[in-house]
Amino acid sequence: MQKQQITVGYIELTEDESESLFEKVQKDKGIEGYAELQGLMDDFDSRIIEPQEEPLAEVLGEVAPAEESDKGTRYIEVFNKLEEDSRYRIKASKQH
């Protein structure tokens, strides 16, 4: 099966992001192809989760808890806009 770009809400995913989303949704929903994924994603929306601008240590000083290693990673969260359903979080390809 050839990779395809999927659009979720206002975000057009790259081929790698689309493949990552496909793998997660395939396990959860049992879909078989990108056309089926795109049809399912018509009811979904997405948002970009930006990394924290300031490390906790700069904000809190010495009392800051240890930070997770992926704090500087940008993610795309995909969620159903019509009903409470599964949420999917994939790592964004572009990490500006």
Side-chain angles (χ1 to χ4, degrees), residues 17-55:
E17 292 165 346
S18 297
E19 180 181 29
S20 179
L21 180 63
F22 176 76
E23 290 170 1
K24 290 182 181 216
V25 175
Q26 182 182 34
K27 290 177 188 173
D28 190 35
K29 303 282 188 191
I31 61 170
E32 297 185 18
Y34 281 91
E36 202 172 342
L37 175 63
Q38 183 62 68
L40 182 64
M41 289 298 111
D42 289 344
D43 291 338
F44 280 67
D45 203 352
S46 59
R47 67 183 179 131
I48 296 175
I49 300 172
E50 296 287 347
Q52 300 267 168
E53 289 292 323
E54 300 176 318

Side-chain angles (χ1 to χ4, degrees), residues 33-82:
Y34 281 91
E36 202 172 342
L37 175 63
Q38 183 62 68
L40 182 64
M41 289 298 111
D42 289 344
D43 291 338
F44 280 67
D45 203 352
S46 59
R47 67 183 179 131
I48 296 175
I49 300 172
E50 296 287 347
Q52 300 267 168
E53 289 292 323
E54 300 176 318
L56 285 177
E58 287 182 24
V59 176
L60 300 176
E62 292 180 20
V63 296
E67 295 185 66
E68 295 176 22
S69 61
D70 66 352
K71 284 287 186 191
T73 305
R74 175 185 281 170
Y75 289 95
I76 299 171
E77 186 174 54
V78 177
F79 54 94
N80 193 319
K81 62 186 175 189
L82 301 177

